[in-house]
């Protein structure tokens, strides 16, 4: 759609909604923010709970059963979520495009909440295998989270608000970590013990899923009470003429799988997403153990202190996203903005982890290592308006499918991270073994972002348009027929 047509549409239907006015798009983003918060809370609560589940001295009520799980078993439990999470990524992205991202997400988190409630029962009456089964099921349900969120953001966020609104939605993951870590630590150390972690967070997830099922919407065109002015503003900014809003569902045959998998910018996203998942989930799953075993925090302190880096990450995500959109308004190219943001997000934490290897922790020094971890995780906020939102830059139509692909492959890395750390750090109190993990993580951060800088792009790819894909295939087929005819002659 040309700029002239958009202007004509706007002038004939009224002025578009100013960007600063609160509207239905902001409500949808807020609901996604809460969904992210709760979903990440369900994931990361186990990182704190497992400390209390294996150490009876961490709770005020010693009557709760504890389990003799070694570091390898604990690593399996922590990684088992991603076994299921990886499997459903691509199917969820496909369903989000051809069916309903809003309904799929609602149902996924609803069942995930139910499985969370079952974890204590499985622990008592089964074994660590029962806990793994619950975690795998939770992962299967949450596989729809990022593909559905990406699909919904692509339909609700105007391009000039994309970094801010996308960051607001995705920042729920960091906020969920911030609130879950200390709350889980307090619950684990209280008289109601570690089972309460799963009962409380599971119940909250079920409530959110019901609310989002009734108040969420797949697109402005399908929302029952959006104002005409806001609908026109969003559609016009996305290049959609009034009265021509496409249905939410894409045709099943239009997904350009070959074009997506042969795209260099897409592969740069896959690689940088793998680097992100290694660093993010390595720290998220292992930091409570590092805090307790190396830095000698107790369970309540460990949960609260572990949350500090993610509080910094959440707080920094807002000025970073604002600066990203502001840079675009000042003429900085979208590609440069994305790459600068992502460089801060990956090379900054990489350098911080390297510096952590040179800080002694065996003399009671706790403040400096914690400050370094705060810097490392805090700077990672730039990834939200770096590679993560870049999926929508490349293809608004298939952003959910693309996210499902990159997150599926990156989830394999998230599975491997705690398992590899468990093998390397066979003695959890040996800081030198942790240094090996930090060196590896810094290297992965560096390489992943370097690939994104070299091969990443931020322009809409030609295969985003189903008609163009179909036309090229027809021209190619027609050309092959002509060559065959000439050969025959």
């Amino acid at each position: 759609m040309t700029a002239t047509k958009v202007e004509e549409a706007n002038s004939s239907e009224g002025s578009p909604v100013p960007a600063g006015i609160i509207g239905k798009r902001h409500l949808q983003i807020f609901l996604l923010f809460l969904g992210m918060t709760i979903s990440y809370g369900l994931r990361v609560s186990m990182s704190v709970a497992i400390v209390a589940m294996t150490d009876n001295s961490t709770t005020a009520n010693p009557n709760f059963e504890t389990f003799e799980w070694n570091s390898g078993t604990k690593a399996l439990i922590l990684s088992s979520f991603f076994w299921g999470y990886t499997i459903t990524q691509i199917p969820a992205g496909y369903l989000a495009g051809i069916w309903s991202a809003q309904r799929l997400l609602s149902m996924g988190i609803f069942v995930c909440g139910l499985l969370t409630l079952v974890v204590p029962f499985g622990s008592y009456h089964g074994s660590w295998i029962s806990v793994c089964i619950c975690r795998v099921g939770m992962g299967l349900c949450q596989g729809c989270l990022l593909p559905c969120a990406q699909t919904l953001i692509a339909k609700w966020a105007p391009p000039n608000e994309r970094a801010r609104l996308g960051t607001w939605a995705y920042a729920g993951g960091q906020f969920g970590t911030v609130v879950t870590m200390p709350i889980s630590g307090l619950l684990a150390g209280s008289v109601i013990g570690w089972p309460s972690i799963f009962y409380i967070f599971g119940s909250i997830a079920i409530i959110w899923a019901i609310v989002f099922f009734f108040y969420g919407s797949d697109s402005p065109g399908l929302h029952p009470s959006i104002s005409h002015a806001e609908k026109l503003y969003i559609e016009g900014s996305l290049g959609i003429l009034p009265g021509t809003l496409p249905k939410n569902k894409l045709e099943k045959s239009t997904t350009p799988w070959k074009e997506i998998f042969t795209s260099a910018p897409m592969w740069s996203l896959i690689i940088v997403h793998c680097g992100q998942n290694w660093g993010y989930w390595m720290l998220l799953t292992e930091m409570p153990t590092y805090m307790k075993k190396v830095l000698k925090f107790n369970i309540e302190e460990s949960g609260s202190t572990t949350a500090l880096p993610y509080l910094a990450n959440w707080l920094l995500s807002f000025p970073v996203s604002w600066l990203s959109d502001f840079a675009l308004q000042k003429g900085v190219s979208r590609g440069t903005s994305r790459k600068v943001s992502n460089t801060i997000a990956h090379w900054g934490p990489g350098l911080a982890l390297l510096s952590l290897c040179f800080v002694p922790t065996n003399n009671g020094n706790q403040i400096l290592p914690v400050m370094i971890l705060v810097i490392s995780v805090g700077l990672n906020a730039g990834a939200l308006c770096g590679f993560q939102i870049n999926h929508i830059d490349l293809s608004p139509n298939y952003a959910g499918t693309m996210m499902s692909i990159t997150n599926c492959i990156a989830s394999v890395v998230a599975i491997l991270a705690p398992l590899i750390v468990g093998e390397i750090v066979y003695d959890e109190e040996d800081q030198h073994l942790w240094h090996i993990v930090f060196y590896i993580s810094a290297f992965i951060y560096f390489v992943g972002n370097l690939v994104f800088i070299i091969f990443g792009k931020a322009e809409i790819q030609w295969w985003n348009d189903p008609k163009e894909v179909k036309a090229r295939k027809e021209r190619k087929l027609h050309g092959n027929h002509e060559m065959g005819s000439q050969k025959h002659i």
Side-chain angles (χ1 to χ4, degrees):
M1 182 179 178
T2 64
T4 303
K5 289 182 179 180
V6 172
E7 289 172 3
E8 289 174 355
N10 289 339
S11 62
S12 63
E13 300 292 339
S15 300
V17 176
I21 291 180
I22 301 298
K24 297 298 181 183
R25 67 190 185 281
H26 299 106
L27 173 61
Q28 296 301 308
I29 294 300
F30 180 65
L31 288 171
L32 283 176
F33 167 82
L34 292 178
M36 287 280 181
T37 298
I38 294 165
S39 299
Y40 272 68
L42 297 180
R43 302 183 197 185
V44 306
S45 57
M46 178 58 80
S47 299
V48 177
I50 202 167
V51 177
M53 293 169 77
T54 55
D55 187 351
N56 200 36
S57 66
T58 60
T59 180
N61 188 345
N63 294 324
F64 289 107
E65 183 177 353
T66 55
F67 310 95
E68 295 181 358
W69 297 333
N70 59 32
S71 61
T73 300
K74 289 190 286 185
L76 282 172
I77 292 172
L78 291 172
S79 70
S80 60
F81 174 90
F82 292 97
W83 306 348
Y85 187 69
T86 302
I87 293 172
T88 51
Q89 287 290 317
I90 294 178
Y94 181 68
L95 279 175
I98 67 169
W99 182 51
S100 168
Q102 174 252 342
R103 292 182 182 179
L104 182 62
L105 183 55
S106 299
M107 293 188 293
I109 302 305
F110 182 85
V111 178
C112 187
L114 291 177
L115 288 171
T116 303
L117 297 176
V118 178
V119 171
F121 180 85
S123 303
Y124 287 133
H125 300 283
S127 64
W128 65 269
I129 296 176
S130 300
V131 180
C132 282
I133 291 172
C134 289
R135 295 275 292 172
V136 170
M138 291 167 63
L140 287 168
C141 295
Q142 280 204 34
C144 65
L145 179 63
L146 292 188
C148 288
Q150 197 81 320
T151 299
L152 292 169
I153 292 169
K155 293 179 181 298
W156 279 98
N160 64 325
E161 299 179 35
R162 188 172 290 160
R164 279 168 288 169
L165 294 182
T167 295
W168 264 103
Y170 284 121
Q174 285 67 44
F175 185 70
T177 304
V178 168
V179 299
T180 299
M181 289 289 189
I183 291 175
S184 297
L186 290 172
L187 291 173
S190 70
V191 292
I192 56 177
W194 61 261
S196 62
I197 297 173
F198 302 101
Y199 296 143
I200 291 174
F201 286 107
S203 300
I204 293 173
I206 291 171
I207 293 170
W208 177 87
I210 295 172
V211 171
F212 191 64
F213 186 84
F214 289 103
Y215 290 97
S217 181
D218 280 300
S219 68
L222 297 174
H223 196 284
S225 60
I226 189 172
S227 69
H228 179 70
E230 184 181 10
K231 177 183 171 185
L232 181 65
Y233 168 63
I234 297 172
E235 292 176 11
S237 68
L238 295 173
I240 302 168
L241 283 169
T244 63
L245 180 65
K247 295 187 181 297
N248 176 61
K249 310 168 190 64
L250 293 168
E251 293 181 17
K252 296 180 181 180
S253 60
T254 61
T255 305
W257 295 106
K258 179 182 177 182
E259 288 75 15
I260 290 174
F261 277 106
T262 54
S263 168
M266 176 63 178
W267 275 100
S268 75
L269 284 181
I270 292 173
I271 293 170
V272 75
H273 200 156
C274 287
Q276 167 72 11
N277 267 25
W278 172 276
Y280 186 87
W281 289 106
M282 181 278 295
L283 287 172
L284 193 59
T285 57
E286 301 298 332
M287 206 185 305
T289 301
Y290 179 78
M291 292 285 188
K292 185 175 187 299
K293 299 295 184 179
V294 178
L295 301 184
K296 306 302 180 183
F297 289 100
N298 61 38
I299 185 68
E300 293 92 344
E301 293 173 335
S302 178
S304 300
T305 309
T306 302
L308 288 177
Y310 297 95
L311 177 60
N313 183 292
W314 181 65
L315 292 174
L316 284 174
S317 65
F318 302 111
V320 167
S321 64
W322 181 85
L323 287 171
S324 179
D325 281 341
F326 180 75
L328 295 179
Q329 295 172 10
K330 293 299 180 181
V332 176
S333 71
R334 186 171 282 114
T336 300
S337 175
R338 302 294 187 243
K339 291 176 182 180
V340 170
S341 296
N342 211 78
T343 297
I344 294 171
H346 282 193
W347 286 1
L351 291 173
L353 289 176
L354 285 178
S355 67
L356 191 59
C357 298
F358 299 95
V359 177
T361 56
N362 54 6
N363 57 358
N365 179 21
Q366 294 178 318
I367 296 177
L368 187 56
V370 170
M371 289 178 61
I372 293 174
L373 287 170
V374 168
I375 293 171
S376 177
V377 178
L379 291 177
N380 193 240
L384 295 175
C385 44
F387 86 91
Q388 199 151 335
I389 209 71
N390 188 236
H391 296 72
I392 303 176
D393 295 330
L394 296 179
S395 177
N397 282 335
Y398 302 106
T401 299
M402 292 169 62
M403 176 59 81
S404 71
I405 294 170
T406 66
N407 203 36
C408 174
I409 298 173
S411 293
V412 176
V413 176
I415 292 173
L416 295 175
L419 297 177
I420 293 174
V421 172
E423 290 297 317
I424 295 173
V425 187
Y426 55 85
D427 180 359
E428 294 174 340
E429 296 184 355
D430 188 340
Q431 62 173 319
H432 300 293
L433 297 177
W434 287 98
H435 291 171
I436 297 173
V437 175
F438 298 151
Y439 281 127
I440 293 172
S441 301
F443 176 77
I444 291 173
Y445 266 142
F446 179 81
V447 173
N449 186 65
L450 183 63
V451 171
F452 182 63
I453 290 174
I454 296 173
F455 297 102
K457 293 185 181 299
E459 298 81 20
I460 293 180
Q461 302 299 290
W462 66 268
W463 40 263
N464 175 67
D465 185 353
K467 293 181 180 178
E468 178 64 19
V469 174
K470 184 177 180 181
R472 291 198 183 196
K473 287 181 178 179
E474 289 177 350
R475 286 198 297 268
K476 184 177 180 181
L477 183 63
H478 182 69
N480 290 337
H481 281 318
E482 286 186 347
M483 288 179 64
S485 299
Q486 291 174 1
K487 218 174 201 182
H488 182 69
I489 292 173

